[in-house]
């Protein structure tokens, strides 16, 4: 929830990890799984930040991607469109940073197409902005010679 996201934003990764683990344990005890997708997405975001700090290679891109893919699958299964959009946006951003721009565009277009209302929420705006940035990046790659890629944030 908000505490977990606050710790993540502030770079308190240890505290964010602890809060995420506590929330997962609480959900397991109560058999309440409505936040599973969001907790997995946030775990993926934590792992991304930890991977940036960890030069030993212990944190793999596969672990990060798995969190986002599981979050996306759970959200789809629960028909939780907002959580699906958040998971897709996180995964698309991650893929974009791994130079998987076309996969990112395809994923976001697919999820946005499935959103029944076009009401602009912060999550929808984030997805729309990321999609525009990814399309611009893809177009630049087509039109120019290979250049150093910049992270998509």
């Amino acid at each position: 929830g908000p505490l977990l996201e606050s710790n993540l934003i502030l770079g308190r990764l240890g505290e964010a990890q602890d809060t995420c683990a506590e929330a997962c344990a609480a959900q397991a005890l109560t058999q309440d799984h409505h936040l599973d997708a969001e907790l997995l997405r946030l775990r993926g975001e934590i792992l991304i930040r930890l991977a940036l700090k960890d030069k030993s290679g212990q944190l793999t891109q596969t672990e990060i991607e798995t969190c986002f893919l599981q979050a996306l699958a759970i959200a789809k299964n629960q028909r939780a469109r907002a959580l699906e959009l958040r998971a897709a946006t996180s995964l698309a951003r991650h893929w974009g940073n791994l130079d998987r721009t076309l996969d990112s565009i395809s994923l976001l277009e697919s999820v946005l197409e499935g959103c029944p209302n076009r009401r602009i929420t912060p999550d929808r705006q984030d997805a729309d902005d990321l999609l525009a940035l990814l399309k611009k990046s893809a177009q630049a790659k087509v039109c120019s010679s290979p250049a150093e890629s910049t992270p998509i944030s």
Side-chain angles (χ1 to χ4, degrees):
L3 178 60
L4 175 54
E5 287 190 85
S6 295
N7 284 329
L8 187 59
I9 290 167
L10 294 172
R12 297 178 183 154
L13 301 180
E15 291 175 39
Q17 273 188 301
D18 292 346
T19 305
C20 189
E22 289 169 13
C24 288
Q27 286 210 192
L29 281 175
T30 63
Q31 298 291 310
D32 180 4
H33 298 286
H34 75 279
L35 289 178
D36 285 354
E38 182 65 357
L39 290 172
L40 279 164
R41 184 192 73 81
L42 289 168
R43 183 170 185 272
E45 295 289 351
I46 292 166
L47 290 175
I48 285 174
R49 285 159 181 82
L50 288 171
L52 292 173
K53 291 184 172 194
D54 176 40
K55 303 303 180 200
S56 71
Q58 289 181 333
L59 294 170
T60 68
Q61 298 305 318
T62 304
E63 290 177 87
I64 295 166
E65 186 171 326
T66 298
C67 286
F68 293 141
L69 287 171
Q70 288 177 341
L72 190 57
I74 290 169
K76 280 183 182 182
N77 187 47
Q78 294 176 339
R79 293 185 176 98
R81 294 285 190 197
L83 296 179
E84 182 181 356
L85 182 60
R86 293 185 99 192
T89 302
S90 289
L91 179 57
R93 184 173 289 114
H94 177 63
W95 280 348
N97 286 328
L98 297 177
D99 207 24
R100 293 180 59 186
T101 307
L102 297 180
D103 291 332
S104 299
I105 291 169
S106 177
L107 173 64
L108 279 178
E109 285 179 338
S110 169
V111 172
L112 287 168
E113 192 175 284
C115 290
N117 78 39
R118 301 285 298 169
R119 189 174 63 113
I120 301 298
T121 63
D123 290 334
R124 175 66 189 237
Q125 187 65 56
D126 187 30
D128 286 340
D129 292 347
L130 178 58
L131 182 58
L133 183 63
L134 289 164
K135 285 181 174 181
K136 185 176 179 181
S137 175
Q139 184 63 32
K141 287 178 186 176
V142 169
C143 294
S144 68
S145 62
E148 188 175 310
S149 62
T150 55
I152 299 171
S153 48

